[in-house]
Amino acid sequence: MCYNSFDNIVFERLFKYFDQDINSNRINILKNKDYDKENRISIYQTPFNSIIFTSTSFYVNIVEKIKINSFNKKISMDQLKDLFNNHNFTDEPNTHCLFLNPESHETVNPPKDYKIRKIDKSFKNKFNELKKECSKDDLEEAQVSLDDDYIVGCFYNNKLISAASYWFWGEGLADIGVITHPEFRKNGLAKAIISYLTLKGIELNRINIYRHAADNKASKRLALAMNFQEKMIIETTKLI
């Protein structure tokens, strides 16, 4: 199968961030100690392969079972669970990961009288006011914090009504979070603030990543409208 140069750049950076020794031509199995408490297993389904992140207690078992089975470069979550005979699992919602080709960046300006600029911890009070107006689900999906690596805000009459931030993945990737006040949605603000933030990522020579839960159709529409391309799905399960 042939992949375009953007795919190669994205996943070269992603593999380097995860582990220097990831091989795109096979299933990779990596330990994640953060998964130990909840007995979690995640599969990152890339265009090239499957990367399995597993709690340390499962690692040896998964390595042995995949080795003796005739899997190629990919394995589905159902196939993986089948390797654990008579075990029960509970699946988490899939996470879809989209990436922005710098050549596809679109400049979207905010509506008149709205201003976007970089913010920091000195904006704590305004940021907390914004959070109070958003639902718990909104905040969990957005994952925006003043402790993030880079954050920008959109203001209207000196009121912070939207914020977008980066988590930097290694040296070459930037993961986006965005939250907007419920009363200021559906007027292009989210597009404008993402446009502003992603341009900064491009200036820093980082590939922009946008993640959303599989059932969040509005978030998916937003990402696609900003020319992000879906390149990876993260499937996660837990052993009961």
Side-chain angles (χ1 to χ4, degrees):
M1 185 177 292
C2 179
Y3 304 100
N4 62 45
S5 58
F6 180 59
D7 286 345
N8 289 317
I9 292 170
V10 166
F11 288 97
E12 178 183 345
R13 294 186 183 192
L14 189 69
F15 295 164
K16 183 178 180 181
Y17 169 68
F18 286 151
D19 188 299
Q20 294 283 354
D21 297 324
I22 283 183
N23 187 331
S24 62
N25 293 313
R26 62 175 171 83
I27 297 171
N28 292 259
I29 307 150
L30 304 174
K31 297 178 186 178
N32 188 334
K33 292 182 179 180
D34 292 338
Y35 284 10
D36 286 357
K37 186 176 180 180
E38 297 181 320
N39 288 325
R40 296 176 71 202
I41 301 172
S42 291
I43 305 179
Y44 287 58
Q45 305 288 12
T46 83
F48 304 92
N49 61 356
S50 298
I51 305 172
I52 301 172
F53 290 90
T54 175
S55 61
T56 54
S57 58
F58 295 151
Y59 177 77
V60 173
N61 195 3
I62 292 176
V63 170
E64 291 177 350
K65 289 182 178 295
I66 287 182
K67 186 175 181 179
I68 64 176
N69 284 273
S70 300
F71 295 110
N72 190 10
K73 299 178 183 180
K74 292 195 175 188
I75 183 171
S76 70
M77 181 59 80
D78 286 339
Q79 288 174 317
L80 181 61
K81 289 190 291 187
D82 285 344
L83 300 180
F84 291 83
N85 296 328
N86 302 316
H87 285 77
N88 292 320
F89 292 87
T90 178
D91 295 339
E92 297 180 355
N94 290 347
T95 298
H96 292 230
C97 301
L98 300 89
F99 300 83
L100 178 65
N101 188 327
E103 296 179 359
S104 300
H105 178 271
E106 180 180 353
T107 299
V108 179
N109 295 317
K112 184 180 178 181
D113 299 326
Y114 291 78
K115 305 296 181 183
I116 299 174
R117 64 179 184 271
K118 186 178 184 297
I119 62 175
D120 54 30
K121 292 182 179 180
S122 66
F123 290 82
K124 180 179 179 180
N125 290 339
K126 291 183 182 293
F127 185 70
N128 286 339
E129 287 298 318
L130 170 61
K131 289 172 63 177
K132 288 179 183 178
E133 300 295 334
C134 299
S135 70
K136 181 179 178 181
D137 288 344
D138 287 340
L139 296 172
E140 288 181 353
E141 175 77 9
Q143 293 292 302
V144 177
S145 166
L146 290 179
D147 293 322
D148 293 345
D149 293 304
Y150 191 90
I151 183 165
V152 297
C154 182
F155 294 82
Y156 179 72
N157 288 339
N158 205 35
K159 178 182 178 67
L160 180 65
I161 47 85
S162 184
S165 68
Y166 275 145
W167 292 352
F168 290 155
W169 293 17
E171 297 179 356
L173 301 166
D175 184 14
I176 297 169
V178 61
I179 188 74
T180 301
H181 191 296
E183 295 180 5
F184 291 85
R185 294 174 186 172
K186 298 183 178 180
N187 63 355
L189 284 182
K191 289 182 180 179
I193 201 167
I194 289 175
S195 174
Y196 187 99
L197 183 65
T198 52
L199 184 59
K200 181 63 178 180
I202 292 169
E203 291 173 355
L204 295 173
N205 191 29
R206 291 180 178 270
I207 299 296
N208 288 282
I209 307 171
Y210 188 102
R211 293 181 296 148
H212 68 84
D215 59 355
N216 193 331
K217 295 181 180 179
S219 193
K220 180 176 183 177
R221 287 196 298 269
L222 174 60
L224 294 177
M226 296 303 297
N227 299 324
F228 282 79
Q229 305 169 36
E230 185 172 298
K231 298 289 185 180
M232 183 171 71
I233 296 177
I234 303 172
E235 304 169 322
T236 300
T237 193
K238 298 178 183 177
L239 178 65
I240 300 174

